[in-house]
Amino acid sequence: MSGATQTLAFRLLQLNRLKKAVLESEKALNEALYADLKKTPEEAWATEIGFFMNELNYTIDHIKSWLQPTSVPTNLLNQPSSCFTIREPLGVVCIIGPWNYPFQLLFTPLIGAIAGGNCVVLKPSEFAPTTSKVMQQIINSLFPDNYILYVEGEGAQVLPPMFNEFRFDHIFYTGSTEVGKIIYKAAAEKLVPVTLELGGKSPALIAADANMKVAARRIATTKFSNAGQMCVAPDYILVPTAFKDVLIEELIKAIQQFYGKDAANTEGYGKIINNKQWSRLVQYFNDGKIVYGGKSDASSLFIEPTILTDIKVDAKVMQDEIFGPILPVLTYDSNEEALEIINRHPNPLAFYVFTSNEATQDYWLTKVPSGGACVNNASWHLTNHALPFGGRGYSGMGGYHGKSSFDTFTHLKAVMKTPTWIDPDLKYPPYKGKGWLLKKLIG
Ligand code: NAD
């Protein structure tokens, strides 16, 4: 309300201060991400800190132009007014993060919120506590509480009372679809707009003409990165029956090339976040035939990259979002059959189609409504900040990254500016006798 957060100079200053503080905390963040999820510094840079830096630098470079009013044409009725849109801060926004990319998924939306000129409440996940502590230190060392407030604690305890007492101007939530519904309901009570970045089962569909080796390598890269705890990880594969064996052979080759034959002792392979998730995941081993992997260890929260086949489509592993390093490979003999399986979980966050044929690509992109999609790739679409990132329906609403983040955290205000030097009677009552002119001007 004081207007302090609104000037371009203020926003740029805060973004640059944040940049400096994060770079100075890189070592602490690396150690924390290793402690919470066994992420190596290289992975931490590619998927968390570097990802954030890329977005931050892009925003710093473009914020000035994004803040410029945008002129739009004025229709005949309103001549000689001029019309334009301006981007207005939303006010006080709440950003709620999950544990799987605990830094990136809390701090990347923060860039958009600061760039938008807002005040922020940041709520990290309680399940990545070491990273949360480092993030808290960064925020508290830079910003006063009445600008950016960092709130730790269990979501179900901390957030509902806050939503009761205070009306946020926007809630930006990343997490499960289940909790997303709770957030959406709470927001609806006070008509608070939301961005929901949720999960779901993202399919990887392989067409008969796909390059199987490349498909296997690209799917394995994202499926087993962060031990499969990635919202856009390919959840399961659909492959034509005739190509199942060759695909599995290539998947195994890729896994062994990436993590060796003993992933448990491979530095670059992550761990499951906690016991609850580990216990949930190992249950899925019973839902099919293990053709690769299957080893697990509760004490080190390890689950081996695992390929499952012979799965019934109504098995639990095909109902839940897997969110772990277990990869069901299902076969299909017709596009209709594959579509029927995909449509059991409509609106996935991402959809991946592997094909060498443009018509096949178009067919699948048209047939499967999803938040985002890749052709012959998996998950890398989210690393291009020129593409908006978000879900649709069950996988969420709204989007962010790059300019989309700025748009998400600002209101597009429509303005008409009318000069006073001309003031024709036409626009004033009584309108009797002016019908012919109104018909000419309106319609
Ligand atoms: P989660 O829904 O359990 O928790 C997310 C946040 O919500 C946490 O900060 C938590 O404290 C809070 N929370 C939990 N219960 C709450 C309640 N009852 N009321 C208010 N707040 C509550 O999600 P998670 O387990 O941390 O993350 C995994 C899920 O997130 C997966 O489904 C995954 O697909 C999804 N995800 C989506 C994206 C995306 O960008 N779309 C990114 C990462 C993860």
Side-chain angles (χ1 to χ4, degrees):
M1 292 301 290
S2 72
T5 64
Q6 297 205 23
T7 63
L8 171 63
F10 177 88
R11 300 182 204 195
L12 270 173
L13 179 66
Q14 307 320 318
L15 291 171
N16 279 307
R17 291 175 72 225
L18 183 62
K19 178 175 169 175
K20 185 163 176 282
V22 168
L23 286 175
E24 283 168 3
S25 305
E26 188 185 340
K27 189 164 171 284
L29 280 169
N30 281 344
E31 285 166 8
L33 289 163
Y34 189 86
D36 286 333
L37 285 145
K38 206 174 158 242
K39 287 185 191 179
T40 60
E42 292 80 11
E43 187 173 356
W45 183 262
T47 64
E48 302 250 20
I49 308 164
F51 186 102
F52 160 85
M53 276 301 158
N54 187 277
E55 178 96 4
L56 183 55
N57 289 330
Y58 184 75
T59 305
I60 289 171
D61 288 349
H62 290 85
I63 180 172
K64 191 173 173 198
S65 68
W66 295 341
L67 277 169
Q68 299 305 314
T70 305
S71 291
V72 299
T74 302
N75 54 355
L76 184 61
L77 175 69
N78 290 297
Q79 294 294 350
S81 301
S82 60
C83 291
F84 56 95
T85 56
I86 48 176
R87 286 278 170 190
E88 189 172 64
L90 296 177
V92 183
V93 301
C94 180
I95 300 176
I96 305 164
W99 50 260
N100 60 334
Y101 291 88
F103 172 76
Q104 191 240 113
L105 293 170
L106 195 72
F107 271 48
T108 304
L110 175 63
I111 299 168
I114 293 177
N118 302 286
C119 292
V120 188
V121 171
L122 281 175
K123 160 69 182 77
S125 167
E126 61 273 35
F127 295 117
T130 325
T131 311
S132 180
K133 278 280 165 279
V134 180
M135 295 193 293
Q136 185 177 40
Q137 279 157 13
I138 294 172
I139 295 299
N140 290 351
S141 72
L142 291 175
F143 307 118
D145 281 357
N146 66 352
Y147 174 39
I148 298 179
L149 176 70
Y150 194 90
V151 181
E152 283 196 299
E154 218 176 290
Q157 301 296 322
V158 172
L159 289 169
M162 211 190 288
F163 293 158
N164 273 339
E165 277 168 36
F166 185 77
R167 184 189 181 274
F168 283 100
D169 295 292
H170 194 90
I171 298 175
F172 185 102
Y173 167 84
T174 305
S176 61
T177 298
E178 197 187 335
V179 176
K181 289 179 191 169
I182 298 173
I183 302 286
Y184 199 15
K185 266 190 206 158
E189 279 296 323
K190 294 186 177 174
L191 279 180
V192 174
V194 292
T195 304
L196 300 176
E197 298 283 343
L198 311 179
K201 287 182 90 63
S202 299
L205 182 128
I206 307 214
D209 62 8
N211 180 325
M212 297 293 157
K213 183 182 166 87
V214 171
R217 282 162 62 83
R218 293 185 185 171
I219 290 172
T221 301
T222 39
K223 178 67 185 186
F224 301 114
S225 172
N226 201 23
Q229 301 162 112
M230 190 196 285
C231 57
V232 284
D235 190 272
Y236 61 96
I237 293 180
L238 282 161
V239 62
T241 307
F243 293 93
K244 175 183 157 191
D245 291 345
V246 57
L247 179 78
I248 289 176
E249 205 177 293
E250 292 296 346
L251 280 168
I252 294 171
K253 268 194 227 160
I255 293 169
Q256 293 188 342
Q257 201 181 1
F258 300 162
Y259 305 112
K261 289 190 177 163
D262 179 17
N265 294 307
T266 301
E267 194 45 30
Y269 187 66
K271 72 177 176 80
I272 305 305
I273 186 76
N274 56 31
N275 234 293
K276 187 176 164 213
Q277 293 297 328
W278 184 90
S279 306
R280 177 182 67 82
L281 286 164
V282 291
Q283 289 301 314
Y284 296 140
F285 288 160
N286 305 320
D287 285 354
K289 183 174 147 201
I290 298 173
V291 294
Y292 184 82
K295 293 196 199 90
S296 60
D297 174 49
S299 65
S300 56
L301 294 171
F302 167 74
I303 296 183
E304 193 177 12
T306 297
I307 302 172
L308 283 186
T309 61
D310 301 83
I311 302 146
K312 292 201 177 68
V313 283
D314 55 358
K316 195 93 173 72
V317 75
M318 283 309 295
Q319 286 168 20
D320 306 341
E321 175 184 6
I322 298 172
F323 219 56
I326 299 165
L327 181 57
V329 177
L330 280 69
T331 54
Y332 69 93
D333 293 311
S334 68
N335 288 353
E336 291 68 31
E337 189 188 351
L339 260 179
E340 196 274 323
I341 295 171
I342 294 170
N343 286 338
R344 287 175 184 223
H345 303 279
N347 312 138
L349 182 58
F351 172 65
Y352 306 123
V353 55
F354 291 83
T355 174
S356 307
N357 180 291
E358 291 256 330
T360 311
Q361 160 199 315
D362 293 346
Y363 172 87
W364 284 107
L365 288 179
T366 316
K367 283 284 181 191
V368 182
S370 63
C374 291
V375 179
N376 293 322
N377 210 337
S379 89
W380 287 82
H381 61 304
L382 72 84
T383 63
N384 178 5
H385 45 222
L387 285 173
F389 177 70
R392 59 174 291 176
Y394 290 109
S395 58
M397 60 187 71
Y400 73 127
H401 287 179
K403 171 75 162 45
S404 305
S405 287
F406 179 77
D407 291 349
T408 287
F409 285 104
T410 49
H411 169 68
L412 187 65
K413 184 148 124 178
V415 183
M416 179 180 283
K417 190 171 156 187
T418 310
T420 54
W421 56 264
I422 181 169
D423 199 30
D425 279 347
L426 163 72
K427 287 197 175 171
Y428 296 100
Y431 296 109
K432 201 166 166 45
K434 298 175 188 166
W436 65 273
L437 197 53
L438 291 174
K439 277 197 173 158
K440 264 201 163 5
L441 291 174
I442 307 173

